[in-house]
Amino acid sequence: MGRWEPNARGRLERAALELYVEHGFEQTTVAKITERAGLTERTFFRHFADKREVLFAGSGAMQELCVAAVAAAPDSATPLDMVAAALDAASARWEERGETVRKRQTVIDANAELRERELIKLAALSTALADAMRQRGVAELTARLTAETGIVVLKVAFERWIGDPGQRSLPQLIKECLNALGTMTGSR
Amino acid sequence: MGRWEPNARGRLERAALELYVEHGFEQTTVAKITERAGLTERTFFRHFADKREVLFAGSGAMQELCVAAVAAAPDSATPLDMVAAALDAASARWEERGETVRKRQTVIDANAELRERELIKLAALSTALADAMRQRGVAELTARLTAETGIVVLKVAFERWIGDPGQRSLPQLIKECLNALGTMTGSR
């Protein structure tokens, strides 16, 4: 990033999200994004491979955060505790970036290709979580199912968070989902 | 169905699946399907809205079967028991139609539009399961999460069933997944 373009990446991301929300993802060009951000297309392509990548560039870092949380869980942690630690780490980060994350989700929900891409990213996260659990000694099938259950919790908590802004925080909603999961095998 | 066309629906389904596997879903036309089945296009459209519907026509019946199983679960059943009963009912049916179900899955896995459609059908099944559980007195969030967890079990068991033909049956694989789920909150 050159010194002529302070926070170019953040400006591009903000401009892109605004335009995706205002005009739709399909209708927005890289030219329009750079115009609004007051930057050149060359700068855009130094930060992102294409306009879709603006929405998914953060997935890798989020996955690393989750995997690190599983690796750092205490030895006494159950598989579900490990996933809970991962979700807790990720959701604290999302909560900080609240408005951006909400906008991003609105854009993705409105576009089939983006939804498919999001599912692929979530599947990769699930695989990474399962691998991290196996490295902690969790059996193959349990690791797989616990990771997938974690993704379910994330999905349901996220929906409630997006649908109910300003009420409970994402970490709180995730905690509620994990508690509800605990009653799955209990009497009603 | 006229008496000139015994088992027209089954013949059309079989011909369509064969062609989808041989030449791909995109490349197969309704004309090709009816030619192979030895039936007219008019007959095809009496049974299916389009060539995609051949793959998804059974989803409604499967959903009804699952909902009925939840409704019929004993009063002592936990939410997870209800979902287990639903999966058990569905998987027995799939097991019977083994080769057809495997072929269908291969076709869907190879096509993004079909995968999206399958996900929509699974989301509808999840919603129906959650509704059925709520009618049995299960709390909203628990019902939602248990239903989604059931879909996870189905997905994982299905993958193992498809990837490992002739070994364990689908009902057995589902049972194994449900058992592994039970160890999620236990020590390793």
Side-chain angles (χ1 to χ4, degrees), chain A residues 179-188, chain B residues 75-82 137-139 142 146:
Chain A
N179 288 341
L181 206 59
T183 67
M184 192 167 78
T185 51
S187 56
R188 280 154 288 146
Chain B
D75 283 341
S76 61
T78 67
L80 192 58
D81 290 338
M82 292 180 189
V138 178
T142 306
T146 311

Side-chain angles (χ1 to χ4, degrees), chain A residues 75 77 115-116 136 188, chain B residues 75 77 115-116 136 188:
Chain A
D75 282 344
R115 286 198 302 273
E116 169 99 4
R136 298 293 311 268
R188 280 154 288 146
Chain B
D75 283 341
R115 287 198 301 273
E116 169 98 5
R136 297 294 309 266
R188 282 156 285 147

Side-chain angles (χ1 to χ4, degrees), chain B residues 111-151:
Chain B
N111 182 296
E113 185 210 330
L114 297 176
R115 287 198 301 273
E116 169 98 5
R117 182 84 189 148
E118 175 83 333
L119 288 175
I120 291 168
K121 293 283 182 180
L122 285 175
L125 174 58
S126 178
T127 302
L129 281 174
D131 285 345
M133 277 188 273
R134 272 194 289 272
Q135 288 191 17
R136 297 294 309 266
V138 178
E140 161 86 26
L141 187 56
T142 306
R144 177 80 207 282
L145 286 162
T146 311
E148 287 285 339
T149 303
I151 302 295

Side-chain angles (χ1 to χ4, degrees), chain B residues 121-186:
Chain B
K121 293 283 182 180
L122 285 175
L125 174 58
S126 178
T127 302
L129 281 174
D131 285 345
M133 277 188 273
R134 272 194 289 272
Q135 288 191 17
R136 297 294 309 266
V138 178
E140 161 86 26
L141 187 56
T142 306
R144 177 80 207 282
L145 286 162
T146 311
E148 287 285 339
T149 303
I151 302 295
V152 161
V153 165
L154 189 59
K155 227 173 62 177
V156 173
F158 227 83
E159 267 178 36
R160 295 163 86 93
W161 186 61
I162 300 282
D164 185 27
Q167 301 298 313
R168 284 152 301 176
S169 72
L170 189 57
Q172 275 174 313
L173 288 163
I174 283 179
K175 203 157 202 73
E176 278 179 37
C177 284
L178 289 167
N179 288 342
L181 207 60
T183 67
M184 191 166 79
T185 52

Side-chain angles (χ1 to χ4, degrees), chain A residues 74-132:
Chain A
D75 282 344
S76 61
T78 67
L80 191 59
D81 290 339
M82 292 180 188
V83 164
L87 296 181
D88 206 49
S91 65
R93 185 75 64 93
W94 277 313
E95 186 69 32
E96 279 169 25
R97 305 184 68 228
E99 209 36 59
T100 303
V101 177
R102 281 180 211 275
K103 269 191 195 147
R104 175 186 176 278
Q105 200 61 41
T106 312
V107 173
I108 288 173
D109 289 346
N111 182 295
E113 185 210 330
L114 297 177
R115 286 198 302 273
E116 169 99 4
R117 182 86 188 144
E118 175 83 333
L119 288 175
I120 291 167
K121 293 282 183 181
L122 285 175
L125 175 58
S126 177
T127 303
L129 281 174
D131 286 346

Side-chain angles (χ1 to χ4, degrees), chain B residues 96-115:
Chain B
E96 277 169 28
R97 305 184 68 226
E99 209 37 57
T100 302
V101 176
R102 280 181 213 273
K103 270 193 196 145
R104 174 185 177 279
Q105 200 61 42
T106 312
V107 173
I108 288 173
D109 289 346
N111 182 296
E113 185 210 330
L114 297 176
R115 287 198 301 273

